[in-house]
Amino acid sequence: MAHTEWRDAPELPDFSLLKRLARDQLIFLLEQLPGKKDLFIDADLMSPLDRIANVTILKQHEVDKLYKVELKPIVSSSDQLCFLIRPRIQTVKWISDLVNADKVAGRFRRYKIIFTPQKFYACETVLEEQGVYGDVTTDEWNFYILPLDDDILSLELPEFFRDNFLEGDQRWVTTAGSALHLLQSVYGSFSKVYGIGRCAKVRICDKTLNLTDEQILVDENMGSVFLVDRDVDFVTPLCSQVVYEGLVDDLFRIKCGSVEFGPDVTSSDKSIKVMLNSQDKVFSEIRNEHFSNVFGFLSQKAKNLQTAYDKRRGMDIQQMKAFVSDELKGLKQEHRLLSLHIGASESMMKKKTKQDFQELLKTEHSLLEGFEIRECITYIEEHINRQVSMIDSLRLLCLLSITENGLLSKDYRSLKAQYLQSYGIKHLLTFANLRQLGLLEEQQAGETLTVMESKVGKLVNDKTVGKLTDAFSSLAKKSNFRALSKRLALVPKSGEEYDLRVPRDMAYVFSGAYIPLSCKLIEQVLERDGWTGLEEVTRMLNGQEFAVTGGSSSSEARNKTDAQRIVLVMFLGGCTFSEISALRFLGKERDTYYVKQIEYMVNIKLSI
Amino acid sequence: VLKESKRAVNSILVDDDDEDEEDVERVSWSGEPVGSISWSVKETASSIRSGSEQSFPKIDTTPSLSKQGSGYSLSSLFKAKSKPGAFQSFSESFSDTSSRTYAPELRKPKSDGKDVVSDLSPEETVRRMQKGRAFSLEKFRSLQDKLLLLDEAVAVYDGNVITAVLIFLKKSLSKEILFRELMARDVALRHYVHYLKEMGEQKLLVELLKALGRTEDMALMHYKEHLNIKDESRRRDFLKSCLSLPFSQDDATHVQDHYTLLERQIIIEASDKKAVAEIFKKFPRKASILNMPIITTLYYSCFYHYGESEGTFSSPSNIRKTFRISEKQYILTALGARAKLKSWFDVDSLFNTKNWLGYTKKRSPIGFHRVVDILHKNSAPVQVLQEYVNLIDNPDLKLGGALKYKCHDIVINTYRDLKDRQQLIVYREKLERDSPEYRKIQELLNNVQIRWKN
């Protein structure tokens, strides 16, 4: 796929259309309950809703008062209650209780639940069991995808990860399938589908490619799509982020494309909410940069700004007038953004250039490299003993476990005991969850395993054999990060200088110490146009890879149209900003454009 | 005036609506002045309150019902739903919403489609469930049919449908049989467990896990309940009841610790709440000690109860012993607490060890550079810092610490030992002229006996 001449990045589809569709459908649904009504909104739907509609629109459609769903008794005098919620049993139970309380009080109201992005049978069963089915009408708002930026789409489903990987409940897999379905019907079919992981594979067989005969609105091509299960690569989200956007997320939490900067950043006594996307000209230039470059960049920018302001001097009235009307507003805007980002990086510097952070990074890098593991364990132990950041401690423990194929029994026990002492004994539940996920495990002695296998093998009947084989293969699958890293050259040789200002590969997003596994896989597969030659890698990743050529119009593959250069990467279970930056880098280098679709931005949250 | 005219306009619109239902839909959808609808609803609401209550709940029933009521009858307002309006094509274009408005019925077959939906194969039934169409599970009565249905749902990987089938099985099979069948079906089992968790059916869940032989999971599940108990004595009693659960050996110890800890915290809290000792007045407690981690409790005890005899529950040594806290962890915590109080004497004695000659020497299970960090964070005076910087083993760390915390003597001596004249000159420039340190450097530089390396 070597490109002979430079081409501009292909134009991305206009994703704002998705917002309009969602808004129109919501309005339509509100109209289904005519008249004044109070609207109760799930807390985590507030921000996504903000991105596509506003209070005025809701008011226009006779929403009287807005409430946040808090699962407490309500004080509403309205005769019509509308609930805009995620399909969660707990919320539906709360609504059923409200309805029943009203019934007892002899109060008559009308109730409507709008489930988004879809309803679940389990929720409707609750309505039925509580005897309010029929009193409450239900609808679906198919708000599957929220475009967060020109090149980022999100499903905003934070529970995807937990439900799917921890609980083993596949209900959201279908939802994610529907999202792809929606994209195809609006923007055209995918010419090729690649992927790796259990959900990714399942989804494909079922949904994406079956679409050809159905209604696709446009006769166009949407490029290809790459699906990755989060559990294919747990290492990347466990590493501390060092690109600007990633750091902002680590420190301030980016939610739904916006961030709240506290008083220490704004240098006033207020917090400010800021949208972070490509509209912000300052941000869009630094978001993908390694943190060490950002400060220099910002100060250069500040100087330029000063020069621009200084132009005023020596202007005559006419010029000044023109300046004020044409440039000043832009400059002021830039000024405001610049001072915010400078404030943010200052507060990052304060927190992150401390010795602590340097040591943390050093430990992470050693773990990735498989170097001085004992020292790393000592460091983690001290980290825990000092009761500093609970999450960082846990991240380090998981990183240690994954890179080392589990912890030695005595290390596991001692570290777990110390962790519980420092952060609370209730976290033994967290450890149980992490073990279930395969994120933090105790090594099984090799012997024990084989002995167990042969013994058990003789004892059990056919039915359970499958289950056991699964269990054993999941035990066996662990041992692979080192091998994978070697095979794919994820960790550059140490000792080489890495110029972070001129990144040479995707490793720059981790200070040159590690190329995100997920992104490396994507690069390799696209380069080969399939998995050929990567058999060993996929075996280590537990198989489940695939590449399927889709629809009809892929015959003129040689001469790629702009649209075909687009690759949609979908992370099932969330992705990090570092991965997004890495993919942006890859896109520039390969003259391909990546659109990222994610379940949710993870900033891995591991606690119970 | 404006208000009045608006109202007038609105009332006209209402009249229009009254006459022509088609208009309601068109007007409302195209986003015309919405006053109209709000008026009509106000009327509606009141008219319903005054008596036509029975007609309400059936929303999607025959249109004739709406004609019986007033023109404002709710069912007429709801008709937009069943009517193919301008919007139909839009909603259909991304998934067949229109057909999903059918209520999914888990047990009662829909009367109108009975023949069609009740004779379907498992495959067809599952397909309909996936699409949100009407279906009936009534036909699946033999165990074999039920299981075929379940396996089909699992085969299409639709968690929503799997759970729906499981709900049906839960209602139509005895739990013993259901548990037995789930045992060999891992995917379905996990969906079932998750469903029970979400429904809060704790009892059934415990039975299930027991039947599966997953006793550890069962114990953890039970233990988790304590998070929902706010009252601390009830919580303590609950934890006590957890002690006999079949935890893994390690976890059993942890749960025992949890119980002991809370028990002690309750005792300490009760007495400290009304404590009058000097230290409580000088440093009033910011929060209660209840439900804090072990290490926080130890810190608290080193802060408020330092030096108490081992016999009391609140003494550091008792806590250290009860919870098997390592020396390293203990020193770290005690150091933090005593340094916070600026009790440098206590800090000193933490590290003092006597050898058999009665000779004291400082020893630490944590690196002295860490000790210095902690002391510095608690703004220890230079004399104290200096002593500990001197104890740092690693020469680079030592010099680094000395530079950072301005322990001039150590810096000067180190450069002297390194015979580094240049560095001494550089360092001299940072000092105040005629300060003792400045003069010390001056003397060294003038000393002709030293053979400088540069």
Side-chain angles (χ1 to χ4, degrees):
Chain A
M1 277 211 207
H3 47 275
T4 42
E5 59 188 286
W6 176 258
R7 285 191 287 181
D8 287 335
E11 202 161 304
L12 285 175
D14 175 17
F15 289 124
S16 63
L17 189 61
L18 295 171
K19 289 191 192 180
R20 227 175 62 216
L21 284 174
R23 182 173 57 232
D24 288 353
Q25 200 201 3
L26 177 62
I27 291 170
F28 173 70
L29 290 170
L30 289 174
E31 298 270 341
Q32 303 296 298
L33 188 65
K36 269 208 186 313
K37 57 217 156 233
D38 283 356
L39 184 62
F40 291 77
I41 305 175
D42 246 344
D44 54 350
L45 277 175
M46 299 276 214
S47 302
L49 189 60
D50 260 346
R51 299 286 170 273
I52 59 155
N54 52 36
V55 178
T56 322
I57 291 181
L58 295 180
K59 296 268 172 192
Q60 272 168 5
H61 296 89
E62 294 172 282
V63 170
D64 190 12
K65 293 198 186 77
L66 281 168
Y67 297 96
K68 191 157 82 178
V69 168
E70 288 177 306
L71 308 182
K72 285 181 202 148
I74 58 159
V75 274
S76 164
S77 55
S78 180
D79 290 322
Q80 301 200 89
L81 306 182
C82 186
F83 302 89
L84 187 57
I85 59 169
R86 293 278 184 216
R88 295 188 187 116
I89 284 178
Q90 218 194 358
T91 322
V92 177
K93 274 193 169 166
W94 167 73
I95 295 170
S96 307
D97 290 346
L98 290 183
V99 177
N100 279 324
D102 279 354
K103 277 187 183 175
V104 170
R107 163 152 209 170
F108 181 80
R109 305 198 226 224
R110 299 210 297 169
Y111 314 90
K112 180 184 195 69
I113 301 179
I114 300 174
F115 290 107
T116 188
Q118 64 171 106
K119 49 180 153 184
F120 286 141
Y121 289 117
C123 293
E124 290 179 307
T125 309
V126 171
L127 293 177
E128 188 182 340
E129 285 175 351
Q130 299 298 317
V132 296
Y133 195 100
D135 299 320
V136 179
T137 54
T138 60
D139 246 318
E140 278 182 335
W141 178 32
N142 304 119
F143 179 31
Y144 289 118
I145 302 173
L146 174 69
L148 286 179
D149 205 340
D150 298 344
D151 62 350
I152 307 178
L153 308 174
S154 171
L155 272 69
E156 290 298 311
L157 288 179
E159 55 252 82
F160 187 101
F161 183 81
R162 194 190 169 99
D163 283 353
N164 191 72
F165 295 108
L166 179 61
E167 306 286 357
D169 189 325
Q170 299 164 351
R171 58 190 176 189
W172 299 112
V173 178
T174 325
T175 315
S178 307
L180 281 181
H181 193 277
L182 167 65
L183 278 179
Q184 292 204 86
S185 52
V186 178
Y187 300 105
S189 58
F190 299 115
S191 55
K192 188 130 190 183
V193 185
Y194 315 89
I196 183 158
R198 210 172 125 85
C199 324
K201 188 162 190 179
V202 163
R203 164 116 25 111
I204 271 325
C205 311
D206 189 34
K207 275 269 184 185
T208 319
L209 288 172
N210 282 344
L211 196 71
T212 32
D213 52 334
E214 289 186 43
Q215 27 8 1
I216 289 177
L217 296 183
V218 267
D219 184 26
E220 265 172 31
N221 211 303
M222 168 74 189
S224 35
V225 59
F226 197 112
L227 307 152
V228 205
D229 277 22
R230 184 69 274 175
D231 64 352
V232 167
D233 174 14
F234 273 147
V235 172
T236 307
L238 290 170
C239 298
S240 300
Q241 309 198 63
V242 285
V243 286
Y244 184 73
E245 190 167 11
L247 260 177
V248 171
D249 187 38
D250 273 356
L251 285 180
F252 306 103
R253 299 294 294 119
I254 298 176
K255 270 203 210 130
C256 209
S258 93
V259 71
E260 191 167 343
F261 285 132
D264 55 328
V265 172
T266 59
S267 48
S268 64
D269 47 359
K270 292 191 301 238
S271 296
I272 299 181
K273 263 202 169 166
V274 192
M275 292 291 291
L276 293 178
N277 53 38
S278 50
Q279 304 296 311
D280 178 338
K281 291 288 171 267
V282 177
F283 177 68
S284 67
E285 284 188 77
I286 54 174
R287 66 196 307 184
N288 300 312
E289 287 292 319
H290 188 272
F291 179 63
S292 59
N293 301 331
V294 169
F295 220 63
F297 177 87
L298 289 176
S299 65
Q300 184 56 44
K301 201 90 188 155
K303 274 183 209 141
N304 295 349
L305 191 67
Q306 187 61 50
T307 327
Y309 272 128
D310 286 348
K311 275 204 312 201
R312 283 174 305 180
R313 291 199 198 123
M315 279 183 181
D316 61 31
I317 296 283
Q318 272 312 315
Q319 286 169 322
M320 186 65 100
K321 215 170 155 188
F323 175 80
V324 170
S325 67
D326 302 340
E327 287 178 58
L328 194 61
K329 201 176 160 216
L331 289 177
K332 281 227 163 113
Q333 166 79 354
E334 198 180 330
H335 187 162
R336 196 182 66 86
L337 293 170
L338 201 54
S339 60
L340 268 179
H341 289 295
I342 287 176
S345 7
E346 266 172 355
S347 116
M348 273 177 204
M349 286 286 231
K350 246 184 253 159
K351 287 180 189 130
K352 294 290 184 181
T353 51
K354 270 193 205 154
Q355 201 186 355
D356 291 358
F357 187 58
Q358 297 303 326
E359 282 178 36
L360 182 76
L361 288 182
K362 206 182 121 211
T363 307
E364 284 177 12
H365 295 170
S366 297
L367 288 173
L368 291 167
E369 233 181 306
F371 185 61
E372 295 185 330
I373 297 303
R374 266 299 125 195
E375 282 79 351
C376 292
I377 293 178
T378 313
Y379 175 80
I380 297 173
E381 203 171 61
E382 270 189 37
H383 202 271
I384 293 170
N385 289 164
R386 283 158 56 211
Q387 288 187 299
V388 276
S389 163
M390 182 162 87
I391 286 294
D392 281 349
S393 292
L394 212 48
R395 273 193 322 144
L396 286 169
L397 283 175
C398 294
L399 196 59
L400 172 69
S401 168
I402 289 191
T403 52
E404 287 291 299
N405 317 321
L407 277 64
L408 292 177
S409 222
K410 84 175 165 44
D411 289 335
Y412 179 83
R413 282 177 196 182
S414 136
L415 287 167
K416 176 175 170 185
Q418 295 184 65
Y419 192 93
L420 300 185
Q421 287 185 343
S422 275
Y423 304 112
I425 294 166
K426 63 177 183 208
H427 286 291
L428 67 91
L429 295 164
T430 310
F431 277 77
N433 286 347
L434 292 173
R435 178 183 283 230
Q436 168 78 33
L437 281 166
L439 272 168
L440 182 51
E441 292 176 298
E442 193 175 339
Q443 262 172 26
Q444 305 287 332
E447 287 177 357
T448 338
L449 188 61
T450 23
V451 172
M452 219 162 69
E453 196 163 14
S454 62
K455 255 192 201 162
V456 175
K458 279 175 215 147
L459 290 174
V460 294
N461 56 21
D462 290 349
K463 266 184 189 167
T464 29
V465 159
K467 207 177 120 194
L468 279 168
T469 320
D470 278 355
F472 284 122
S473 67
S474 84
L475 282 176
K477 118 186 165 182
K478 298 183 303 188
S479 64
N480 300 331
F481 180 74
R482 292 267 174 268
L484 275 170
S485 157
K486 212 165 157 195
R487 183 92 195 131
L488 293 167
L490 299 179
V491 177
K493 284 189 204 85
S494 61
E496 274 176 46
E497 275 297 307
Y498 196 102
D499 187 353
L500 291 168
R501 270 166 307 174
V502 197
R504 59 166 181 262
D505 55 25
M506 293 186 283
Y508 93 93
V509 300
F510 291 115
S511 311
Y514 164 66
I515 299 176
L517 171 59
S518 52
C519 304
K520 186 73 182 183
L521 281 174
I522 293 164
E523 179 203 72
Q524 290 294 311
V525 169
L526 293 178
E527 215 156 76
R528 291 154 209 259
D529 194 23
W531 293 90
T532 332
L534 294 171
E535 290 79 7
E536 201 188 332
V537 171
T538 57
R539 198 176 42 74
M540 289 191 271
L541 290 169
N542 237 8
Q544 312 274 7
E545 82 285 358
F546 57 86
V548 198
T549 307
S552 40
S553 59
S554 56
S555 47
E556 4 82 69
R558 279 294 97 196
N559 199 0
K560 287 192 132 202
T561 65
D562 268 3
Q564 280 168 322
R565 286 194 291 146
I566 295 172
V567 179
L568 176 85
V569 178
M570 186 176 202
F571 287 92
L572 299 158
C575 90
T576 63
F577 284 106
S578 300
E579 282 164 313
I580 293 184
S581 293
L583 288 176
R584 286 197 182 113
F585 176 85
L586 191 65
K588 254 190 255 164
E589 215 176 37
R590 288 173 35 86
D591 188 25
T592 311
Y593 217 84
Y594 293 87
V595 180
K596 276 66 70 174
Q597 181 172 16
I598 50 182
E599 302 306 336
Y600 195 66
M601 295 309 305
V602 276
N603 187 302
I604 247 189
K605 214 180 135 199
L606 302 161
S607 303
I608 34 175
Chain B
V1 180
L2 209 95
K3 232 181 210 167
E4 268 177 30
S5 58
K6 194 172 165 190
R7 195 170 296 171
V9 172
N10 284 341
S11 64
I12 294 167
L13 281 170
V14 170
D15 287 340
D16 279 353
D17 294 345
D18 209 355
E19 283 166 30
D20 190 351
E21 285 175 15
E22 285 302 318
D23 261 355
V24 181
E25 285 163 24
R26 198 175 46 72
V27 169
S28 64
W29 171 238
S30 58
E32 291 283 344
V34 280
S36 62
I37 296 172
S38 83
W39 266 85
S40 70
V41 168
K42 246 182 221 158
E43 291 291 319
T44 310
S46 57
S47 70
I48 283 167
R49 244 184 263 124
S50 61
S52 58
E53 220 153 322
Q54 301 94 317
S55 72
F56 166 61
K58 297 198 177 65
I59 287 154
D60 272 342
T61 46
T62 48
S64 63
L65 247 166
S66 68
K67 294 285 182 221
Q68 291 169 356
S70 74
Y72 305 121
S73 141
L74 282 170
S75 34
S76 76
L77 291 166
F78 263 81
K79 276 181 74 186
K81 186 189 239 171
S82 49
K83 253 181 209 171
F87 221 80
Q88 198 76 351
S89 60
F90 155 69
S91 53
E92 267 186 334
S93 69
F94 52 100
S95 77
D96 39 6
T97 327
S98 57
S99 55
R100 284 199 191 191
T101 50
Y102 283 118
E105 308 262 330
L106 291 177
R107 287 177 305 163
K108 309 165 281 183
K110 252 206 149 87
S111 56
D112 51 329
K114 185 171 182 173
D115 292 346
V116 189
V117 293
S118 65
D119 289 336
L120 296 171
S121 64
E123 291 80 10
E124 188 54 26
T125 305
V126 165
R127 220 179 57 77
R128 293 187 76 97
M129 291 172 86
Q130 276 187 289
K131 301 224 157 169
R133 305 230 168 90
F135 62 90
S136 159
L137 301 180
E138 205 178 42
K139 187 194 82 133
F140 298 90
R141 301 196 70 166
S142 74
L143 179 60
Q144 195 194 2
D145 284 349
K146 287 179 202 289
L147 294 175
L148 278 175
L149 185 68
L150 181 61
D151 291 340
E152 178 60 25
V154 170
V156 300
Y157 291 100
D158 189 325
N160 181 27
V161 176
I162 297 174
T163 308
V165 172
L166 284 168
I167 293 170
F168 165 67
L169 297 190
K170 178 174 180 253
K171 284 172 181 159
S172 63
L173 282 175
S174 85
K175 57 189 177 204
E176 288 77 15
I177 303 297
L178 180 57
F179 292 176
R180 187 192 71 201
E181 295 302 333
L182 286 177
M183 228 175 271
R185 290 174 170 79
D186 193 45
V187 173
L189 176 64
R190 294 184 74 180
H191 281 80
Y192 194 55
V193 169
H194 190 214
Y195 173 71
L196 293 183
K197 271 190 199 167
E198 286 193 299
M199 289 298 287
E201 296 200 37
Q202 200 69 14
K203 260 199 189 136
L204 191 55
L205 197 50
V206 167
E207 274 180 70
L208 171 63
L209 293 174
K210 218 183 249 172
L212 293 170
R214 286 165 54 177
T215 48
E216 273 184 44
D217 289 343
M218 184 199 85
L220 286 171
M221 180 103 51
H222 190 78
Y223 166 78
K224 189 178 182 178
E225 287 278 287
H226 85 266
L227 295 169
N228 301 324
I229 303 175
K230 292 282 163 285
D231 178 76
E232 59 270 6
S233 358
R234 279 192 48 232
R235 192 183 248 217
R236 177 197 56 201
D237 298 343
F238 180 84
L239 286 172
K240 192 173 185 183
S241 77
C242 288
L243 296 179
S244 56
L245 294 171
F247 289 104
S248 70
Q249 205 186 337
D250 271 10
D251 284 351
T253 321
H254 296 312
V255 174
Q256 171 72 54
D257 279 354
H258 198 170
Y259 165 67
T260 317
L261 178 68
L262 186 57
E263 191 186 30
R264 303 260 169 115
Q265 285 174 336
I266 290 173
I267 297 170
I268 298 173
E269 180 66 22
S271 95
D272 285 4
K273 237 189 332 206
K274 41 185 200 274
V276 288
E278 187 64 24
I279 178 116
F280 289 99
K281 277 183 216 145
K282 219 164 142 196
F283 303 94
R285 303 184 326 146
K286 289 197 188 85
S288 110
I289 191 61
L290 295 172
N291 298 316
M292 293 296 170
I294 293 175
I295 298 308
T296 313
T297 312
L298 176 65
Y299 182 91
Y300 174 94
S301 129
C302 287
F303 197 93
Y304 290 109
H305 299 278
Y306 205 64
E308 282 178 15
S309 71
E310 204 183 308
T312 56
F313 278 155
S314 50
S315 72
S317 42
N318 189 308
I319 291 173
R320 179 181 176 181
K321 205 166 158 200
T322 310
F323 299 106
R324 306 166 309 280
I325 292 167
S326 70
E327 189 197 6
K328 189 172 164 180
Q329 175 75 79
Y330 175 77
I331 298 271
L332 208 54
T333 313
L335 172 65
R338 298 325 285 171
K340 183 100 195 160
L341 287 166
K342 311 215 180 308
S343 307
W344 310 123
F345 177 79
D346 290 341
V347 168
D348 255 6
S349 42
L350 273 176
F351 299 104
N352 283 342
T353 49
K354 280 203 174 85
N355 67 8
W356 57 279
L357 288 169
Y359 199 64
T360 49
K361 190 176 183 274
K362 285 215 162 42
R363 213 175 48 83
S364 165
I366 42 174
F368 275 111
H369 64 285
R370 279 255 177 271
V371 175
V372 173
D373 277 349
I374 293 170
L375 291 173
H376 175 72
K377 274 190 193 121
N378 291 293
S379 38
V382 177
Q383 302 89 297
V384 177
L385 281 178
Q386 185 151 312
E387 189 182 350
Y388 288 91
V389 170
N390 241 333
L391 290 165
I392 299 176
D393 276 337
N394 180 321
D396 294 335
L397 282 177
K398 186 173 175 176
L399 183 59
L403 284 167
K404 195 163 156 197
Y405 305 124
K406 301 199 169 45
C407 304
H408 304 305
D409 272 351
I410 299 176
V411 176
I412 295 167
N413 292 343
T414 311
Y415 287 143
R416 183 198 58 202
D417 296 347
L418 290 169
K419 312 231 181 294
D420 197 333
R421 210 170 99 92
Q422 293 306 321
Q423 288 291 358
L424 267 183
I425 295 172
V426 172
Y427 199 69
R428 183 184 58 179
E429 298 314 310
K430 291 180 190 151
L431 298 173
E432 228 173 281
R433 219 163 246 282
D434 287 332
S435 61
E437 300 84 31
Y438 188 91
R439 267 180 277 136
K440 186 173 174 184
I441 294 182
Q442 207 60 36
E443 277 165 33
L444 282 171
L445 291 176
N446 293 337
N447 188 338
V448 288
Q449 307 256 300
I450 303 174
R451 309 184 126 225
W452 299 105
K453 72 170 182 187
N454 49 22

